[in-house]
Amino acid sequence: MTMDPASADAITLALLREARETVRRSPLGVINTPMIPLDQTTLPASAGGRIHIKLENMQTTGSFKIRGVANQFARRQRGGHFVTMSAGNYGKSFAFASKHYGTQGKVVMPETAPESRSVLIQSFGVQVERVPTSRLMDVVDRCVQEDNMTFLHSYDDLDLITGHASLGLEVLEVVPRPDVVVVCCGGGGLLAGVAAAIKLSGCDETRIYGVEPEGACTMYRSFIEQKPVGMDTRSIASGLAPPFAGKLPYELCRRHVEAIVLVSDGEIRAAVSVLYGAGLVVEPSGCAAFAAIVNNKIPDLQGKSVVCVLSGGNIGKDELANFPD
Ligand SMILES: Cc1ncc(COP(=O)(O)O)c(C=O)c1O
């Protein structure tokens, strides 16, 4: 029997452990981020659980994306000329890795993305092409077909997801059998990787929840329709708002995730402010899991050990200034 290399069946604990070693040894300097009990912060305790927060906002490049990128580049970098599509944290990690490995890279981004993002990515020596949102995929296809570039996907990619799984394995070194793990979800790469790591490590009883914004709930809808679907997305958490749920992430989430819960943009904004008040700079996309916990969206937390992932901290002071106190 031949196995689809990009199917959920291909993901085993051995593969995740190997990816974790690759990420740990990566020359990109990926760190084992701190995980601290909520009651050792000045954050309001809530929901009655024993909550740990995993500070991925302190990760190299400011988000978890570097984990998956470290694994993608380690496996594919030789002689590579890569193209991707992202105005966000994936684009930043991709550019950082391209510079480090000395590979040629191009980021295709929507012309609506902030100019500062193009400037940052170009500063790593990576080319940027800004195009209307509707043409993004056509331009990537052209780069692949005419310029012989290799497309690296920002959430639907086996090497990326197994790299992200390193976060889940690290969590288990601090809390070996969590009752509940809460992770935000955009295309679903992070959630899929973390969920696979926890369940394949034998934590059968752990409940894993994904959190999406109400206006960008592609994985939530995919669970209902029982296939990965897309929608017109709108949210302040732009990293959580890609137009489609990933196919491989969807398959893994179906297997390992209890449910997807939704938070409003207002709840996300309030979470950014509360975290900032406790000295934690977390961007809107990075706050969704925390917002779900403090707004009682996750059932039955009383007395349970709970892990909440804060996935990124890339937010500028201008943006922060617009949030409520
Ligand atoms: C900070 C942050 N959190 C979460 C996500 C969602 O990740 P995924 O698309 O793997 O679900 C992103 C995606 O860019 C992000 O930047």
Side-chain angles (χ1 to χ4, degrees):
M1 190 181 86
T2 54
M3 196 162 42
D4 175 358
S7 95
D9 292 331
I11 296 191
T12 60
L13 185 57
L15 188 70
L16 300 187
R17 286 191 173 140
E18 188 190 321
R20 201 257 167 116
E21 274 317 298
T22 305
V23 171
R24 198 187 341 232
R25 281 195 254 102
S26 167
L28 299 179
V30 182
I31 59 171
N32 184 337
T33 48
M35 191 152 95
I36 54 171
L38 197 74
D39 60 14
Q40 286 177 16
T41 69
T42 55
L43 287 165
S46 77
R50 283 170 282 117
I51 301 173
H52 276 82
I53 48 178
K54 175 76 169 160
L55 298 183
E56 207 59 17
N57 57 323
M58 295 174 71
Q59 185 55 268
T60 306
T61 72
S63 86
F64 73 95
K65 287 276 185 187
I66 195 70
R67 294 175 180 270
V69 166
N71 200 39
Q72 280 181 318
F73 273 70
R75 285 172 204 286
R76 286 137 148 185
Q77 116 266 14
R78 260 160 279 281
H81 189 175
F82 299 119
V83 60
T84 195
M85 198 168 62
S86 162
N89 283 330
Y90 181 84
K92 184 175 177 187
S93 291
F94 171 94
F96 180 80
S98 301
K99 174 165 187 194
H100 191 92
Y101 278 101
T103 51
Q104 287 181 281
K106 180 176 201 167
V107 175
V108 182
M109 67 167 68
E111 54 194 7
T112 49
E115 186 64 35
S116 57
R117 246 326 132 113
S118 310
V119 172
L120 176 76
I121 287 172
Q122 283 165 330
S123 75
F124 290 109
V126 164
Q127 238 186 308
V128 170
E129 187 168 343
R130 295 170 71 93
V131 302
T133 307
S134 60
R135 292 204 48 239
L136 285 168
M137 205 55 227
D138 292 344
V139 173
V140 168
D141 285 345
R142 191 202 68 214
C143 294
V144 171
Q145 273 148 31
E146 292 173 21
D147 305 325
N148 223 1
M149 296 187 198
T150 303
F151 177 45
L152 293 185
H153 203 290
S154 60
Y155 55 86
D156 198 354
D157 178 280
L158 183 108
D159 293 332
L160 181 87
I161 291 170
T162 54
H164 291 340
S166 60
L167 193 158
L169 296 176
E170 279 173 22
V171 162
L172 297 182
E173 286 168 3
V174 182
V175 180
R177 289 203 164 266
D179 295 310
V180 177
V181 176
V182 192
V183 185
C184 58
C185 178
L190 174 65
L191 175 61
V194 171
I198 288 172
K199 291 289 183 169
L200 295 176
S201 295
C203 297
D204 302 334
E205 305 292 314
T206 303
R207 287 180 279 137
I208 300 168
Y209 291 91
V211 184
E212 290 189 313
E214 287 168 355
C217 53
T218 55
M219 193 61 83
Y220 178 84
R221 291 192 180 184
S222 301
F223 270 40
I224 293 170
E225 298 198 25
Q226 301 194 7
K227 59 173 192 221
V229 298
M231 65 183 277
D232 282 336
T233 55
R234 186 179 290 264
S235 173
I236 186 171
S238 55
L240 304 185
F244 294 97
K247 181 172 170 298
L248 181 55
Y250 166 75
E251 271 187 56
L252 287 161
C253 290
R254 282 293 300 186
R255 256 179 218 203
H256 301 307
V257 171
E258 185 85 10
I260 307 291
V261 304
L262 304 182
V263 289
S264 68
D265 273 13
E267 288 165 338
I268 291 174
R269 284 170 170 276
V272 171
S273 293
V274 168
L275 289 163
Y276 185 78
L280 295 167
V281 177
V282 186
E283 65 189 276
S285 298
C287 281
F290 182 77
I293 292 172
V294 295
N295 289 289
N296 298 317
K297 303 283 171 87
I298 313 290
D300 187 23
L301 295 185
Q302 194 67 39
K304 301 288 190 314
S305 73
V306 181
V307 175
C308 170
V309 177
L310 303 181
S311 57
N314 285 312
I315 181 168
K317 64 182 188 322
D318 298 351
E319 201 185 337
L320 270 170
N322 295 323
F323 283 75
D325 289 334

